[in-house]
């Protein structure tokens, strides 16, 4: 049995309790004991970490992940040959874990099998990466695709049933329905909707029959209605949700999750210029207006207690891999979340999103030991979670992906009882 004890850590357990000084015992892949105070947990066979007062918290969640986006401009996502694409997909998986993300919810794969192959390699211990729910290629109706080269099309109920079944046959955990537009395409408005209720319903029914979750690219008002009417599990964006949609969402809040992926809107306005999409072009396309209504929408969701998760659309040229925790700052600065609420959304709600609320996303006995050590207090400054140098250790499933610095590891003789008074 492998054992690790964290001593002298500020435990941020994701229950809403303020951080407290304490100790945590990890046995094999799970947390087995969490104790406030000092000197309560001892075991001569354990690896003992002196946390030096750093924060020990759950690993983070990204609710809208694309391992296969390889930092290219939007319209070139499908251009990478499969061999290089597999390598970049492996790199993204590792990058998420490097930055303390232990739960990622796949939101579409640029090629059919890249997500499932990489998920399986992670689970087999061949490559490092977070817990991952793999997706297939986006599914859209004819001329409803956002990027043709990464999308499969289906029209009508029986065609849709067939495409969804084939995608599920690849071994995916999630399917992605692209049902509204996106302004950067220049041809598909974010306020337009490209699917019928019957087409979306058959996709949801086929997926749920096989235990597969459904997520939607749903920016338009009507795409939110359709997602809620048909039983979609995770709604992405929901920018143009109206009062009626908000009421429907509230009525379904125990079942559905929203991930706005707001950083895409922010970065498209602020950071895309260097890649040839100027601020003026973004504003003209409607991104400033969309950001404004989307932020107001999430503020209202927050008031109504809807489960909104961070994460989303990292891996484009202007939302590169490794910048994932920008989302947490947006939750605080744009949506009005407290730092504690933002962290709970990124941890505890991740456990709920994964359907494992009693074993993922908290630092409590019985939970999987997916934890990060943070040099500082993210409740005082949420942006420290963007700084990899502040994330001093990453543990997933009870094993260190990144070990704490040697000077935080207490030598064995120092924690044996006979030496305790030296
Ligand atoms: Zn996306």
């Amino acid at each position: 049995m492998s054992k690790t004890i964290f001593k002298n850590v500020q435990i941020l357990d994701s229950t809403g309790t303020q951080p407290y000084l304490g100790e945590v015992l990890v046995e094999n892949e799970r947390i087995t004991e969490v104790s406030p105070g000092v000197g309560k947990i001892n075991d001569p066979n354990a690896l003992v970490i002196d946390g030096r007062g750093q924060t020990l918290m759950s690993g983070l969640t990204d609710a809208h992940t694309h391992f296969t986006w390889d930092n290219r401009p939007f319209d070139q996502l499908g251009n990478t040959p499969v061999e290089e694409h597999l390598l970049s997909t492996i790199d993204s998986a590792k990058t998420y874990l490097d930055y303390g993300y232990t739960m990622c919810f796949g939101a579409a794969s640029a090629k059919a099998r890249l997500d499932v192959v990489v998920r399986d390699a992670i689970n087999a211990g061949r490559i490092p990466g977070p817990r991952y729910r793999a997706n297939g290629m986006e599914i859209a109706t004819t001329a409803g695709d956002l990027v043709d080269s990464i999308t499969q099309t289906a029209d009508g109920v029986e065609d849709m049933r067939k495409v969804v079944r084939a995608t599920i046959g690849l071994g995916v955990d999630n399917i992605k329905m692209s049902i509204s537009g996106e302004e950067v395409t220049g041809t598909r408005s974010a306020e337009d909707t490209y699917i019928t209720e019957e087409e979306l319903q058959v996709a949801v029914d086929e997926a749920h029959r096989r235990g597969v979750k459904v997520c939607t690219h749903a920016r338009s008002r009507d795409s939110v209605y359709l997602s809620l009417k048909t039983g979609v599990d995770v709604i992405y964006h929901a920018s143009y949700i109206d009062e009626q949609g908000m009421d429907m969402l509230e009525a379904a809040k125990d079942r559905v999750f929203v991930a706005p992926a707001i950083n895409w809107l922010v970065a498209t306005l602020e950071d895309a210029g260097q890649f040839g999409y100027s601020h003026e072009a973004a504003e003209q396309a409607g991104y400033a207006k969309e950001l404004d209504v989307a932020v107001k929408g999430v503020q209202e969701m927050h008031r109504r207690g809807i489960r909104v998760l961070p994460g989303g659309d990292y891996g484009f040229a202007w939302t590169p891999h490794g910048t994932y925790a920008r989302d947490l700052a947006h939750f605080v600065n744009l949506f009005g979340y407290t730092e504690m609420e933002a962290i709970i959304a990124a941890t505890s709600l991740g456990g709920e999103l994964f359907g494992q609320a009693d074993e993922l996303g908290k630092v409590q006995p019985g939970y999987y030991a997916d934890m990060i050590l943070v040099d500082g207090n993210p409740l005082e400054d949420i942006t420290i979670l963007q700084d990899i140098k502040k994330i001093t250790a990453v543990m997933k499933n009870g094993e260190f992906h990144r070990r704490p610095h040697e000077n935080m590891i207490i030598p064995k003789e120092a924690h044996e009882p006979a030496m305790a008074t030296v």
Side-chain angles (χ1 to χ4, degrees), residues 64-66 69 107-108 138 176 217 236-237 261 312-314 316:
H64 179 145
T65 301
H66 299 293
W69 283 194
E138 304 203 355
K176 169 75 171 294
H217 172 93
Y236 291 140
H237 316 306
D313 275 331
Y314 290 92
F316 290 112

Side-chain angles (χ1 to χ4, degrees), residues 69-132:
W69 283 194
D70 51 359
N71 293 348
R72 281 176 183 264
F74 190 81
D75 53 350
Q76 294 170 30
L77 287 174
N79 295 7
T80 310
V82 67
E83 296 84 355
E84 285 86 349
H85 214 155
L86 176 60
L87 293 174
S88 67
T89 304
I90 290 169
D91 285 345
S92 321
K94 176 175 179 292
T95 304
Y96 267 103
L97 197 54
D98 286 343
Y99 280 82
Y101 281 75
T102 54
M103 286 181 274
C104 288
F105 193 91
S109 175
K111 292 184 173 68
R113 295 183 64 246
L114 282 176
D115 252 26
V116 293
V117 165
V118 165
R119 175 204 60 199
D120 291 348
I122 293 169
N123 291 343
R126 295 176 68 174
I127 59 169
R131 296 180 193 276
Y132 193 53

